[in-house]
Amino acid sequence: MTHPMIQFDKVLKAYGALQVLKDLDFSVDKGEVVSIIGPSGSGKTTVLRVLMTLEGIQGGTMYVDGEPLNKMNVDGQLVDASKAHIRRIRSKIGMVFQNFNLFPHMTALENCNESPIFTQGKSKAEATEESMRLLDTVGLADKANHYPSQLSGGQQQRVAIARTLAMHPEILLFDEPTSALDPEMVGEVLEVIRNLAESGNYTMLLVTHQMGFAREVSDRVCFFDGGFMVEQGQPNDLFGNPQNERLKQFLSKVLEAG
Amino acid sequence: MDWDWDFTFETVLPRMWEAAGVTIWATVISFLLALVGGLILMLLKTHRSPWVSRPATEVIEFIRATPLLVQIFFLFFLLPEIGITLPPLTTGILAIGIYNSALCAEVYRAGFQAVPKGQWEACIALNMSTYRTYRDVIIPQSLPPIVPALGNYLVAIFKETPLLSFVAVAEIMQISKLIGAEYYRFTEAVTIAGIFFLVMSLVAAFLIRIVENYVKRSILH
């Protein structure tokens, strides 16, 4: 039996009366790289945040690798998930944030080691070896003992990616990973993300304003507006031949802005 | 006003010396109680379940809204009524410790809330346990604002200990009163008590500053 890696089943997310996701149905296959684009307030970041369980949802069910995330199966009934269940399912998901969210009082290496040692129970030597290898793949092995404040924005974001990879997630969520960066640092971070996408090892969900990049690395692009997924398709179709009126407007605006 | 040096050195200081030990002991133990109790109260207050957080909030408000002296009397006279008889010093330390727990709880809460939301979110994304989240990420980052505030409470507790003289604890204020009443000479004893508090407060403030700088240097790079 095959199932999607990520599945949203009628997911409702609301802040009071404001509905941010309206009965969202959405799924991502294993190994698929999906970009989410849309104007601010469209709910695109919320998709990542509820999947990472940073925020609760008011209705519907999310599935990860075929298992419910916010619910669990008890005697054939879906009931609200326990903390332990959420932690078990959540271990398959890693997230890279817009503002990096590195731990400022830890070095780059300590940031990467934290979860493998204390959440996954690896020995310090084992975790360090792996973290150093990951820092090397993002080009920062020489910065392992630097604190975040001693690194540039681009370097911090690359450490944050290494830290996320150290947990061995199957799903990678990127929440506008280059939006907080100075323009000259965007490239180095996109390069790392591109390599991850091309490796085929991860199911990736990317919220971005970098339209060119989304077009280049994605298997599929989804356009969100007003809490709905309005249109989705292969990058060339969606960017080259948009159907929805609001998508056309959105694309003309962002492409104009460059 | 006349000052009797012989009386000061032969009668007052030896007795005050012992009493100073009681005052410092009461301060240190009350402070440790307040540090631990405050952390527990804060964690209960910010607990997700309202069945836990509401009572904790009420208890904190109750403790903060009544005078410490009343609480000392309350414990001193009411605990024996329910069959718990503790020495006056223990009762006093308990009262001061509990009272300051409620105050320290607010210090912790403010300190933890000052840690950016993104740090909490990173802990969730890294699937860290609640224990590890607090121990490795939240508490270290909240120390720079918390340490000076807690230091102020250490000095405040020190200056609250004379209240224990109301329940006859042999701390420095009680002894200076006793000496005064015994010899009809208050000048020397009360002055020395005052100097003792002044000097100890200055020493404590100095030590707190050293700790503060150490914390800042080791956490904020």
Side-chain angles (χ1 to χ4, degrees), chain A residues 49 52-54 83 87 90-91 93 95 97 101-106 114-115 118-119 147 149 163 167, chain B residues 48 117-130 132 136-138 140-141 218-219 221:
Chain A
R49 294 180 57 82
M52 193 67 256
T53 69
L54 301 179
K83 222 173 158 183
R87 280 194 75 196
R90 191 165 62 193
S91 68
I93 312 173
M95 181 161 178
F97 297 90
N101 296 345
L102 289 176
F103 302 135
H105 57 298
M106 298 185 195
E114 174 70 25
S115 195
F118 297 112
T119 303
Y147 288 93
S149 60
R163 176 176 76 169
M167 303 170 55
Chain B
R48 254 165 307 149
K117 200 164 142 251
Q119 295 290 309
W120 297 88
E121 293 183 347
C123 293
I124 294 176
L126 292 173
N127 215 16
M128 289 164 64
S129 64
T130 308
R132 278 291 157 189
D136 296 350
V137 178
I138 305 304
Q141 289 188 64
S218 58
I219 290 169
H221 298 277

Side-chain angles (χ1 to χ4, degrees), chain A residues 86-114:
Chain A
I86 291 175
R87 280 194 75 196
R88 186 172 66 79
I89 305 295
R90 191 165 62 193
S91 68
K92 296 179 182 176
I93 312 173
M95 181 161 178
V96 174
F97 297 90
Q98 182 177 352
N99 294 311
F100 333 133
N101 296 345
L102 289 176
F103 302 135
H105 57 298
M106 298 185 195
T107 63
L109 177 62
E110 286 165 346
N111 265 282
C112 294
N113 274 350
E114 174 70 25

Side-chain angles (χ1 to χ4, degrees), chain B residues 10 15 70 113 125 146 159 165 171:
Chain B
E10 279 158 29
R15 288 176 68 179
V70 173
Q113 280 183 352
I146 283 180
K159 293 192 290 186
S165 67
E171 50 67 59

Side-chain angles (χ1 to χ4, degrees), chain A:
Chain A
M1 189 184 90
T2 61
H3 46 245
M5 196 64 190
I6 302 168
Q7 193 186 350
F8 280 61
D9 181 16
K10 297 204 167 26
V11 169
L12 173 70
K13 169 69 193 173
Y15 299 101
L18 177 70
Q19 295 193 343
V20 188
L21 298 178
K22 297 166 184 167
D23 290 336
L24 176 67
D25 289 319
F26 174 58
S27 70
V28 181
D29 288 331
K30 191 174 170 68
E32 199 180 7
V33 177
V34 175
S35 291
I36 300 179
I37 60 171
S40 61
S42 59
K44 58 190 192 304
T45 286
T46 308
V47 173
L48 304 192
R49 294 180 57 82
V50 297
L51 183 59
M52 193 67 256
T53 69
L54 301 179
E55 292 177 35
I57 55 177
Q58 280 67 47
T61 314
M62 295 177 290
Y63 296 87
V64 171
D65 204 5
E67 286 188 277
L69 169 65
N70 58 317
K71 301 275 165 98
M72 59 183 184
N73 236 316
V74 176
D75 304 326
Q77 297 273 323
L78 278 186
V79 299
D80 284 338
S82 68
K83 222 173 158 183
H85 174 85
I86 291 175
R87 280 194 75 196
R88 186 172 66 79
I89 305 295
R90 191 165 62 193
S91 68
K92 296 179 182 176
I93 312 173
M95 181 161 178
V96 174
F97 297 90
Q98 182 177 352
N99 294 311
F100 333 133
N101 296 345
L102 289 176
F103 302 135
H105 57 298
M106 298 185 195
T107 63
L109 177 62
E110 286 165 346
N111 265 282
C112 294
N113 274 350
E114 174 70 25
S115 195
I117 292 177
F118 297 112
T119 303
Q120 303 175 330
K122 285 189 184 164
S123 72
K124 196 177 171 192
E126 199 184 349
T128 301
E129 193 188 323
E130 159 111 84
S131 296
M132 286 307 297
R133 186 179 62 72
L134 290 167
L135 285 171
D136 192 42
T137 58
V138 298
L140 289 172
D142 58 326
K143 304 283 188 203
N145 294 316
H146 285 52
Y147 288 93
S149 60
Q150 300 165 322
L151 300 173
S152 72
Q155 291 170 332
Q156 288 186 55
Q157 190 62 298
R158 286 187 280 151
V159 171
I161 292 172
R163 176 176 76 169
T164 300
L165 297 178
M167 303 170 55
H168 293 275
E170 297 177 45
I171 298 171
L172 291 177
L173 308 178
F174 293 89
D175 182 16
E176 304 191 25
T178 58
S179 296
L181 297 176
D182 290 339
E184 73 268 24
M185 291 166 186
V186 170
E188 62 191 66
V189 172
L190 291 184
E191 182 60 34
V192 170
I193 299 173
R194 178 184 294 115
N195 290 337
L196 292 172
E198 285 168 0
S199 75
N201 295 331
Y202 303 99
T203 304
M204 287 171 52
L205 208 46
L206 174 74
V207 170
T208 184
H209 291 297
Q210 304 278 338
M211 296 304 148
F213 183 69
R215 183 168 189 164
E216 180 192 342
V217 301
S218 310
D219 299 313
R220 176 157 57 107
V221 179
C222 301
F223 173 66
F224 272 67
D225 190 39
F228 293 104
M229 184 163 61
V230 178
E231 187 169 338
Q232 59 171 325
Q234 289 186 353
N236 286 336
D237 294 340
L238 189 119
F239 287 113
N241 184 19
Q243 301 300 310
N244 181 279
E245 215 35 58
R246 280 185 306 210
L247 173 57
K248 286 179 193 167
Q249 283 171 11
F250 174 76
L251 287 178
S252 70
K253 269 185 213 153
V254 290
L255 296 178
E256 225 170 78

Side-chain angles (χ1 to χ4, degrees), chain B residues 49 59 66 69 155 179 206:
Chain B
S49 162
V59 166
T66 51
L69 186 56
V155 176
I179 294 172
F206 176 72

Side-chain angles (χ1 to χ4, degrees), chain B:
Chain B
M1 187 183 99
D2 63 325
W3 181 279
D4 187 337
W5 286 106
D6 289 342
F7 176 63
T8 305
F9 282 109
E10 279 158 29
T11 309
V12 179
L13 277 180
R15 288 176 68 179
M16 295 287 250
W17 183 248
E18 211 172 307
V22 174
T23 292
I24 291 173
W25 170 255
T27 303
V28 170
I29 303 300
S30 301
F31 182 59
L32 292 180
L33 263 179
L35 287 185
V36 177
L39 187 59
I40 293 170
L41 279 178
M42 191 281 305
L43 290 175
L44 293 177
K45 188 182 171 174
T46 54
H47 197 273
R48 254 165 307 149
S49 162
W51 294 102
V52 178
S53 65
R54 287 241 180 84
T57 307
E58 294 304 320
V59 166
I60 290 173
E61 280 312 305
F62 174 78
I63 295 172
R64 278 157 52 102
T66 51
L68 175 55
L69 186 56
V70 173
Q71 290 177 30
I72 292 173
F73 274 40
F74 186 81
L75 288 185
F76 188 72
F77 291 110
L78 290 193
L79 282 184
E81 296 282 320
I82 57 168
I84 303 171
T85 311
L86 297 171
L89 178 59
T90 310
T91 310
I93 287 176
L94 209 57
I96 296 178
I98 292 172
Y99 180 75
N100 284 282
S101 292
L103 303 179
C104 289
E106 290 302 310
V107 172
Y108 285 119
R109 199 182 55 82
F112 289 3
Q113 280 183 352
V115 177
K117 200 164 142 251
Q119 295 290 309
W120 297 88
E121 293 183 347
C123 293
I124 294 176
L126 292 173
N127 215 16
M128 289 164 64
S129 64
T130 308
Y131 169 71
R132 278 291 157 189
T133 299
Y134 276 99
R135 185 189 175 291
D136 296 350
V137 178
I138 305 304
I139 291 178
Q141 289 188 64
S142 54
L143 283 182
I146 283 180
V147 165
L150 290 181
N152 288 341
Y153 280 108
L154 173 64
V155 176
I157 287 173
F158 179 60
K159 293 192 290 186
E160 281 163 4
T161 54
L163 291 175
L164 297 180
S165 67
F166 282 97
V167 290
V169 172
E171 50 67 59
I172 206 153
M173 199 59 221
Q174 174 72 359
I175 294 303
S176 70
K177 276 196 306 189
L178 285 180
I179 294 172
E182 241 172 83
Y183 297 90
Y184 300 108
R185 294 190 66 92
F186 283 92
T187 315
E188 289 84 355
V190 172
T191 305
I192 286 178
I195 292 172
F196 167 74
F197 277 107
L198 175 66
V199 170
M200 288 303 290
S201 290
L202 291 176
V203 169
F206 176 72
L207 292 178
I208 291 163
R209 207 162 317 136
I210 290 179
V211 174
E212 217 179 296
N213 287 334
Y214 171 77
V215 165
K216 267 192 205 138
R217 239 179 308 125
S218 58
I219 290 169
L220 306 172
H221 298 277

